Amino acid sequence: MGRWSGFNVTLSQVFKKKLTGDYPKHKRPKPERFHGRHVLNRYEDGMEKCIGCELCAGVCPAKCIYVRGSDNPPESPVSPGERYGFVYEINYLRCIHCDLCVEACPTEAITETKLFEFSFSNRNDAIYTKRELLVDDNGRAQRQPWELWLGGEDDHTSAWMRATAPSGQVAFENTVAWSGELGFGVRAPERGQGAAPASGEGAPSRASASAEPDDEEVALG
Ligand code: SF4
Ligand code: SF4
């Protein structure tokens, strides 16, 4: 091998398309069903969806949810119905993002964003309370100083809930069985595996119901 032939390897790579990204300054969009940091949702009129039933806490395999329900004050109810989630906490030192809490929730109150870029320097920050989890007046996740949001990570917070709503029953695919969300309204269902392909599309597949991230990156700022 000549003195300069080793550079051929380097030069042959210089003009090829770059496969690696400038993470975390640029992030690739994540699949809509991705299980990230949770949010507590509100109805379109601003009322909270959580009724404090504790089903999410009961089903959580990591025992990281703590909920306490309370009677709605008649003069200023927090949620429709009798009760609301008075205390709601998730300990992210334990959460494994399995989303069983999302599937168990009867009111679609607890769902997940696509954000996993959050870490803590103390245990208190790792325990998210209602103050951090409840969506804001635009239906968006409340950003915390230790979270890296670049935009888009809270666009599809209920995708996993909607994906599992048919409970494996093809007859219920493409059927809206959920309520509207503050800032987003009533979301459309996924096309589903049993749906006929739209004109110009190929046969439906599992991959079609779970969008893969494309190569387009979201830039910081
Ligand atoms: S995602 Fe799983 S581990 Fe995390 S809070 Fe929900 S049920 Fe518990
Ligand atoms: S988030 Fe859902 S399952 Fe959990 S307490 Fe509230 S209403 Fe019940």
Side-chain angles (χ1 to χ4, degrees), residues 27 35 73 104 119 137 163 171 191 199 207 213 219:
K27 292 199 266 185
H35 302 176
S119 56
D137 291 341
R191 182 164 61 81
S199 62

Side-chain angles (χ1 to χ4, degrees), residues 35 38 56 59-65 90 92 94-102 110 112:
H35 302 176
H38 297 79
C56 54
V59 78
C60 176
K63 301 296 177 204
C64 61
I65 301 180
I90 296 179
Y92 278 112
R94 291 184 174 187
C95 178
I96 56 174
H97 294 280
C98 63
D99 259 13
L100 288 177
C101 52
V102 175
I110 184 78
E112 294 204 43

